[in-house]
Amino acid sequence: MSNFEGSKEAAAGMDTFDLKGFTERMELILGDESARSFGARCGLSDTAIKKYRSGASTPNVERLIAIANAAGVDVKWLATGQGSRSADSSDTESQTKVLWVDSYDVFVSAGNGAHNEWDHLEARVPFSTAWLEDQGLSGKRLAVLKVQGDSMSPTLEDGDTPLVEMLPEDAVENLPDSVYVLRLNGQLLIKRLQSDLMGGLYIKSDNPAYREIHLTQSNKPDDIRIIARWTGKKI
């Protein structure tokens, strides 16, 4: 099973990735254009394009989107052969089956903290609306981020791309115990949070090599904001 067929397919809720058909569709969209020329248009190397065209490798979601955008085709059609080829299809059923979720070029630290601004939109990732509904995520504001560090290992590894639910700005009190993205003293973290009975907050790592932080009402900093909750899904 390829990387795309495994974790990528499960998280994005896309239909089965059609490798044989994908190589044929790659041939179709390239036509007489060279791999180098097409790769330059979608920001990929000619070697990567050749591998995708031959079936020697499969693209991750971000690269699949880049290829579809460069070719002007629908990403679901490119991956599965289903739906309309045109990215501008007015097919109502096709449009309602996919929700595009923002993927940010932002690293949330599973370590000692990462300095990032929350405005680096990298791509948009397609999720099946039926899958989102099945996961209880329909109607929620979602985003995809990147993990840096190992403090949340084995739950989240360095380089993982978790799907998170964005929270209101005042979400800091009485949160259910879960994994959250938070900003603390100017740093973005992804940690397990647990409230105590006195209104304090435990910031925990799943990797036992890292110590937990206990914020009480008296030492809780002003610069703390709970930004998002991890949905438990990765792409």
Side-chain angles (χ1 to χ4, degrees):
M1 177 177 287
S2 72
N3 181 51
F4 190 97
E5 289 174 303
S7 61
K8 296 284 185 181
E9 179 192 6
M14 297 185 75
D15 298 320
T16 303
F17 184 75
D18 173 19
L19 179 58
K20 183 178 183 297
F22 173 71
T23 62
E24 294 172 351
R25 288 185 289 279
M26 282 294 294
E27 288 281 3
L28 184 63
I29 63 177
L30 260 70
D32 295 329
E33 187 174 2
S34 70
R36 175 170 294 183
S37 172
F38 184 79
R41 291 202 291 117
C42 53
L44 301 174
S45 69
D46 60 329
T47 300
I49 297 300
K50 290 175 182 177
K51 286 184 176 181
Y52 299 154
R53 183 170 58 185
S54 68
S57 179
T58 54
N60 61 22
V61 172
E62 289 81 4
R63 290 189 171 199
L64 189 69
I65 293 170
I67 293 170
N69 287 342
V73 299
D74 181 80
V75 68
K76 185 176 181 180
W77 171 85
L78 180 60
T80 69
Q82 299 179 7
S84 172
R85 171 178 172 173
S86 172
D88 298 321
S89 171
S90 59
D91 187 316
T92 303
E93 182 180 5
S94 174
Q95 290 181 355
T96 57
K97 282 187 176 180
V98 172
L99 176 71
W100 293 87
V101 173
D102 291 341
S103 176
Y104 289 90
D105 187 19
V106 168
F107 287 93
V108 287
S109 178
N112 295 319
H115 293 273
N116 276 288
E117 296 298 327
W118 195 272
D119 58 1
H120 300 160
L121 182 62
E122 180 181 43
R124 304 186 75 205
V125 182
F127 286 79
S128 162
T129 54
W131 180 84
L132 290 172
E133 186 172 355
D134 288 343
Q135 304 301 318
L137 299 174
S138 180
K140 298 184 182 298
R141 185 185 170 203
L142 302 170
V144 175
L145 309 174
K146 296 177 181 178
V147 172
Q148 185 178 60
D150 66 351
S151 75
M152 286 302 292
S153 177
T155 307
L156 290 167
E157 302 288 358
D158 184 39
D160 278 349
T161 49
L163 175 66
V164 300
E165 176 193 356
M166 306 298 289
L167 299 176
E169 289 191 10
D170 58 354
V172 69
E173 304 293 342
N174 301 318
L175 292 171
D177 297 350
S178 189
V179 175
Y180 294 89
V181 176
L182 68 151
R183 186 181 66 229
L184 179 64
N185 295 328
Q187 297 179 325
L188 286 177
L189 304 169
I190 185 161
K191 298 287 186 180
R192 193 172 298 278
L193 302 185
Q194 180 180 4
S195 300
D196 67 22
L197 296 177
M198 303 301 293
L201 190 68
Y202 288 98
I203 302 175
K204 299 182 176 183
S205 301
D206 285 3
N207 185 337
Y210 291 79
R211 294 188 306 169
E212 70 178 33
I213 300 171
H214 185 204
L215 300 180
T216 65
Q217 289 287 1
S218 60
N219 71 359
K220 187 179 292 185
D222 293 332
D223 184 18
I224 181 172
R225 180 187 164 197
I226 313 302
I227 297 175
R229 178 188 64 85
W230 182 39
T231 64
K233 307 299 178 184
K234 296 183 283 186
I235 68 169

